[in-house]
Amino acid sequence: MFAEATTLPAVGGFVLLPILVILLVAVLTRRTLFALFCGTLVGALLLTGWGAFDTWVEYFGKSLANETAQWLLLIVVLFGILITLFERSGIVSDFARWTERFVNSRRKSTLLTFFLSVVLFVDDYLNVLTVGTSLKSLTDRYAVPRTQLGSIMKMTAAPIAVIVPFSTWALFFSGLFEAQGVTVGGSGFGAYLQAIPYIFFGWIAIVVAFLMSAGWLPRIGATKRDAVRAERDGDVFPLGTTAEEREAEGAVLLQEIRATDADGSTAQRVAAALETEVEVKRPQAWPFLLAMVTLVGVTILTEANVVKGTAAALVVTIVITLIQRRLRIREVLESALAGIESMLFVAVLTVLAFMVQEMNMSLHLADWVIAVTEPVLTPALLPAIVFAVCGIYAYATGSFWDLAAVITPVVLPLAIALGADPILAGAAVFSGAALGSTTCLYGDGIILASRSIGIKPHNLMLAILPYAGIAAGLSFVMYLIVGVIGA
């Protein structure tokens, strides 16, 4: 084992270098994995100079030893197997065909995306993986760009989890209140219930997501460009998506039909064939719904243990697949291996992302941010500044729950000392964490969501940023207003 790295004192704003390098390289090369690798190299150089190689290896080990990283990797593997079984057994395609009796337009397909995201409030990982996997083929049919699908999902996933008191986010943040002695009725959960109305980013982001799904909010930026191309050519993927990536998604692009279908006869024959297939074998929704009910139900009954919920859903899916003879035992095993392989990229991204978090903690990035902002803190400005700092920090570092665990013990005592409401200050921290989870390029939420809909993380981030920016700006104004009123 390598010896513990000796941290060199990082001078001022130089602690931001790893983050800036990651963002710059990601935008210039469109390679998230390479960008994260570069960021970890810069972090290792800042920490120990010429001993950077040993430091990099050490932090790689720390990332693998991180309990949260291990938990997330286990979820990723289980979901990889579950998703592959869904796809190869036809369970998802059956569900998509079944929904067509209720969904016959683009707006209905995007509204279904939003409402399913709301229903799966228990955990944001569960949310994006389930919604993306089950609905992408349906939204493809109505030429909804994958970036718009992902934006609706991500603008709902963390925000709904942070404002519903029976989610993994709520349970974690309630514990943070209680650990700092901020309780209502003797419990941190009571304090969290009082904080929910003030988690402004959660509420506003959900409204923005609904307006997007209903078509009442104009498409902006990357989503607008992708929508124009999808409507013109039927290409629902972002620019730069390779043929291999499309093929891996099993996508049938509409332009392939339109190129040889001037009079629409081919499309009519395809529709007739589909109708005949439905008559012969009507789609069954219950296998997918039973698996999802099992997943959500077991997760809730085991105190928001997503691993147990996913494992239970996987067992149910395997049983259904074998009983209905959708796959043979050998094919189930092959699907399991393929599911694990499909998540290798996500697993490597996860390990590198946790390396960045570990290095930021060793560089005392949070201390530097607090030191810079502390001189301007007043009771009236505290909530808005806390939200802005936490949102920027979470976006820049990919640290969400870790951010809250680090910042909350600083912010709550500071709020009490300044005479501000600690519950409001805590709500600002949680809003900032949700903002970061919704937007961060190398955050686990973006990584998992992009995997579920088959596009690259940077494409999804660029599509989300304008909408998240609207919600963040309005949230900042709300924290200013509430802070001034309460001061």
Side-chain angles (χ1 to χ4, degrees):
M1 295 295 292
F2 290 93
E4 182 77 17
T6 302
T7 304
L8 295 177
V11 180
F14 281 107
V15 295
L16 294 173
L17 271 180
I19 297 161
L20 296 176
V21 167
I22 290 170
L23 296 176
L24 182 63
V25 173
V27 171
L28 293 178
T29 66
R30 299 187 176 184
R31 296 288 185 270
T32 310
L33 196 65
F34 179 63
L36 278 173
F37 176 71
C38 291
T40 59
L41 288 180
V42 173
L45 285 169
L46 284 175
L47 284 166
T48 53
W50 293 109
F53 176 77
D54 288 351
T55 302
W56 193 93
V57 174
E58 176 193 331
Y59 276 85
F60 182 80
K62 283 185 176 182
S63 177
L64 291 176
N66 186 296
E67 289 185 3
T68 304
Q70 293 170 358
W71 175 76
L72 181 56
L73 288 172
L74 184 56
I75 290 177
V76 164
V77 168
L78 290 174
F79 258 106
I81 298 172
L82 185 63
I83 289 169
T84 304
L85 279 175
F86 277 164
E87 292 172 347
R88 293 194 177 186
S89 65
I91 287 177
V92 166
S93 59
D94 267 11
F95 177 75
R97 285 168 51 203
W98 177 78
T99 59
E100 288 172 14
R101 69 184 66 182
F102 311 105
V103 177
N104 54 13
S105 68
R106 178 183 302 151
R107 175 174 292 181
K108 287 182 180 179
S109 72
T110 51
L111 281 171
L112 178 61
T113 300
F114 171 76
F115 287 119
L116 186 55
S117 295
V118 170
V119 168
L120 295 172
F121 62 82
V122 69
D123 185 76
D124 55 326
Y125 298 158
L126 159 68
N127 196 319
V128 296
L129 285 166
T130 302
V131 175
T133 302
S134 60
L135 295 185
K136 62 188 175 187
S137 60
L138 179 65
T139 55
D140 284 355
R141 182 161 300 186
Y142 295 103
V144 176
R146 293 282 178 97
T147 47
Q148 182 178 358
L149 171 63
S151 296
I152 295 172
M153 286 163 39
K154 279 303 296 166
M155 287 294 291
T156 309
I160 193 68
V162 82
I163 64 174
V164 173
F166 306 105
S167 69
T168 52
W169 284 63
L171 293 174
F172 179 77
F173 292 150
S174 297
L176 294 181
F177 269 136
E178 193 153 341
Q180 297 304 311
V182 178
T183 61
V184 172
S187 73
F189 185 73
Y192 191 83
L193 290 176
Q194 286 202 2
I196 288 174
Y198 301 107
I199 305 177
F200 295 127
F201 180 80
W203 293 106
I204 296 172
I206 289 172
V207 172
V208 170
F210 173 73
L211 294 176
M212 290 170 61
S213 63
W216 297 336
L217 184 66
R219 290 162 169 161
I220 308 171
T223 302
K224 182 178 181 179
R225 293 193 298 271
D226 292 342
V228 170
R229 192 172 61 262
E231 292 170 3
R232 184 186 66 231
D233 305 326
D235 186 355
V236 297
F237 290 89
L239 281 175
T241 305
T242 65
E244 291 78 10
E245 289 167 336
R246 289 188 172 94
E247 185 178 353
E249 276 294 293
V252 179
L253 302 180
L254 296 181
Q255 70 264 31
E256 293 179 1
I257 295 177
R258 291 177 179 174
T260 56
D261 189 31
D263 61 355
S265 59
T266 303
Q268 291 174 3
R269 289 197 299 274
V270 170
L274 287 173
E275 289 173 5
T276 302
E277 182 183 355
V278 170
E279 290 175 3
V280 174
K281 182 181 178 182
R282 299 192 67 81
Q284 297 178 318
W286 70 264
F288 177 79
L289 293 175
L290 178 59
M292 289 300 99
V293 168
T294 301
L295 197 160
V296 176
V298 173
T299 298
I300 293 174
L301 292 174
T302 55
E303 298 181 349
N305 191 320
V306 182
V307 172
K308 291 182 179 178
T310 309
L314 184 56
V315 170
V316 169
T317 302
I318 291 173
V319 171
I320 292 173
T321 298
L322 293 175
I323 289 177
Q324 292 192 327
R325 297 182 179 179
R326 291 173 177 263
L327 296 174
R328 295 189 296 272
I329 292 178
R330 179 175 59 82
E331 292 170 325
V332 169
L333 295 176
E334 290 174 351
S335 298
L337 290 175
I340 295 171
E341 291 175 2
S342 72
M343 289 295 188
L344 284 178
F345 178 77
V346 178
V348 175
L349 278 180
T350 300
V351 172
L352 290 177
F354 274 88
M355 284 181 68
V356 173
Q357 292 181 28
E358 293 281 354
M359 288 178 174
N360 284 333
M361 285 190 286
S362 294
L363 289 167
H364 305 293
L365 178 59
D367 295 338
W368 180 82
V369 171
I370 292 170
V372 169
T373 56
E374 200 168 24
V376 297
L377 290 178
T378 65
L381 294 178
L382 179 67
I385 291 179
V386 166
F387 168 70
V389 169
C390 290
I392 293 170
Y393 180 83
Y395 170 75
T397 63
S399 175
F400 317 125
W401 286 15
D402 295 348
L403 154 77
V406 171
I407 296 292
T408 303
V410 176
V411 167
L412 297 189
L414 181 62
I416 294 171
L418 292 173
D421 183 358
I423 290 179
L424 176 59
V429 173
F430 307 151
S431 275
L435 170 59
S437 177
T438 302
T439 57
C440 179
L441 170 66
Y442 43 89
D444 38 32
I446 290 284
I447 292 171
L448 295 178
S450 62
R451 167 63 184 87
S452 74
I453 59 176
I455 65 175
K456 297 173 182 175
H458 79 272
N459 289 127
L460 182 54
M461 180 198 72
L462 292 175
I464 289 172
L465 280 178
Y467 300 104
I470 293 171
L474 292 174
S475 300
F476 183 79
V477 172
M478 289 299 298
Y479 281 118
L480 280 177
I481 294 172
V482 172
V484 170
I485 291 174

